[in-house]
Amino acid sequence: MIQASAFSQLIRPPIFMTESPQRGSEDNVNCNLCPNNCEIKSGGFGICGVRGNKNGKGIIPFYGFITALAVDPIEKKPLYHFKPGSKILSLGFAGCNLHCPFCQNWHISQNTDVHGKWMQSGEVISAALREDSPSIAYTYSEPLIHAEYILDCMTLARKHGIANVLVTNGCINANAAAVILKLADAVNVDLKSFSAETYKKIIGGDLQTVLDFIQLCNKMNVHAEVTTLVVPDLNDSNSELNAAAEFIASVNKDIPWHLSAYHPDYRWNAPPTSQTFLSNAAQNAKKTLTYVYTGNSNFNNDTLCAICGSTLIKRNGYNVDVSGLINNTCASCGKTAKVAV
């Protein structure tokens, strides 16, 4: 395992970890950050691989360990209705609390022995300011398992007027979610399936926890978008996709839903998502939701005014034209657009 930097063990103690467990060995530590609720033996780590136990004390030795650092178009997160056309500083991490066999970032999500560098929260903010990035994304692998670090970064970002964006699987317990979402400006939630059995047996998560997270984002007025990777032989039935669309609409029919094409990766060898199927699924979802987009495809992903049908945002890949928007209103009809500029 990689060695922790000096500051990673000194900056702050872990939160959402109980050092005096009610069950099991006296040396065990309970982590209640996510629904795995790991009971961690001394010298071990939870399912995520980054939250551990040293001599009966909770430890977070990967605090500040960054596996990727890049400036991306915000549409790559994907976020289509939050600061369209802007760039965003993106941080990647190690580990994950799920084990999706189709993971497309498995090199860093399913392994902690990876290349990276240590960055204090102040260094992250300095990088965003240096790049003139109005937002920071905590992304690539699962950021929420690094709750302490992202909370420190998000707190400092707020002080400098930088927006915080989470790209997450949403598999986090409600008390932790509420704390973190107070500092979030936008979230993209990866809704991997609409089957509780698939989450439990294949992904290693809990569907209801993710649905609760999406609802909490809406309740707390955090801008939310949802992404579903359409994986053949896993979640690509019309009935399941329809059920997912209906749930999102029950929360807020204006939540954008991104249906992305899968390609074979990691331990899932089904053929790539049919582009015809993806297009038909998106058209069907538009009967329920106002905004549906396709990812990893060449289909039109323009954003249209829900009132008059005029083009608000024209997209050609990651080239974005926002001339159809004036501040937060449609340039044609003057009605408020469901886009945070």
Side-chain angles (χ1 to χ4, degrees):
M1 189 184 74
I2 61 171
Q3 295 298 311
S5 70
F7 72 85
S8 71
Q9 302 217 21
L10 298 175
I11 275 204
R12 68 180 298 175
I15 54 179
F16 311 116
M17 298 182 79
T18 304
E19 297 175 357
S20 299
Q22 299 299 313
R23 65 185 191 279
S25 167
E26 292 181 358
D27 291 333
N28 288 359
V29 168
N30 290 340
C31 180
N32 53 20
L33 178 67
C34 85
N36 287 317
N37 293 312
C38 294
E39 185 176 4
I40 308 170
K41 295 181 179 180
S42 182
F45 284 84
I47 288 172
C48 65
V50 301
R51 304 178 71 81
N53 176 350
K54 183 177 181 180
N55 299 326
K57 299 289 185 180
I59 58 170
I60 45 172
F62 290 86
Y63 178 103
F65 184 68
I66 303 302
T67 60
L69 183 69
V71 178
D72 293 324
I74 198 166
E75 286 76 17
K76 195 175 181 179
K77 296 304 97 188
L79 285 176
Y80 278 13
H81 287 218
F82 184 80
K83 298 184 181 298
S86 69
K87 58 185 179 180
I88 187 166
L89 181 72
S90 301
L91 304 180
F93 302 90
C96 187
N97 56 345
L98 303 183
H99 47 255
C100 306
F102 48 85
C103 182
Q104 317 223 322
N105 282 323
W106 63 272
H107 298 87
I108 57 174
S109 71
Q110 302 303 308
N111 184 18
T112 57
D113 187 14
V114 293
H115 293 292
K117 64 180 180 179
W118 303 97
M119 294 183 71
Q120 298 191 49
S121 56
E123 294 178 281
V124 173
I125 306 310
S126 294
L129 294 171
R130 185 169 57 249
E131 297 290 346
D132 195 27
S133 174
S135 311
I136 296 173
Y138 310 92
T139 180
Y140 299 137
S141 186
E142 180 50 49
L144 295 182
I145 59 174
H146 301 274
E148 295 81 2
Y149 182 68
I150 67 169
L151 282 170
D152 289 345
C153 290
M154 293 167 81
T155 299
L156 195 55
R158 275 279 174 91
K159 292 180 180 178
H160 286 81
I162 300 171
N164 290 307
V165 172
L166 296 170
V167 181
T168 173
N169 60 36
C171 211
I172 181 172
N173 289 335
N175 60 333
V179 172
I180 295 170
L181 287 176
K182 286 181 181 179
L183 292 169
D185 298 284
V187 176
N188 186 291
V189 185
D190 197 356
L191 181 59
K192 298 177 183 294
S193 168
F194 207 74
S195 163
E197 183 177 14
T198 296
Y199 260 93
K200 182 177 180 180
K201 294 184 176 180
I202 298 178
I203 296 171
D206 181 69
L207 172 61
Q208 190 58 53
T209 299
V210 180
L211 302 185
D212 291 345
F213 183 81
I214 295 171
Q215 290 175 317
L216 185 60
C217 289
N218 188 68
K219 182 179 179 180
M220 294 182 66
N221 294 316
V222 177
H223 176 84
E225 303 191 21
V226 175
T227 296
T228 298
L229 187 70
V230 180
V231 182
D233 303 327
L234 180 91
N235 64 358
D236 62 337
S237 70
N238 289 323
S239 60
E240 183 168 332
L241 292 172
N242 288 342
E246 289 169 4
F247 165 76
I248 297 169
S250 74
V251 178
N252 185 335
K253 67 181 182 64
D254 293 327
I255 292 177
W257 191 23
H258 302 263
L259 293 172
S260 292
Y262 141 98
H263 64 262
D265 212 336
Y266 194 34
R267 296 175 177 172
W268 203 266
N269 296 314
T273 310
S274 160
Q275 293 289 303
T276 299
F277 179 86
L278 191 71
S279 177
N280 290 339
Q283 291 303 315
N284 190 48
K286 287 178 181 179
K287 299 174 184 176
T288 305
L289 294 164
T290 310
Y291 305 104
V292 181
Y293 303 103
T294 55
N296 302 329
S297 73
N298 294 319
F299 302 132
N300 185 296
N301 276 319
D302 294 348
T303 297
L304 306 181
C305 176
I307 305 301
C308 71
S310 298
T311 301
L312 299 175
I313 306 170
K314 187 171 183 61
R315 299 183 179 89
N316 182 12
Y318 293 128
N319 295 316
V320 178
D321 178 357
V322 296
S323 59
L325 281 170
I326 299 177
N327 294 323
N328 199 36
T329 62
C330 173
S332 296
C333 70
K335 299 297 184 180
T336 300
K338 302 295 184 179
V339 180
V341 296

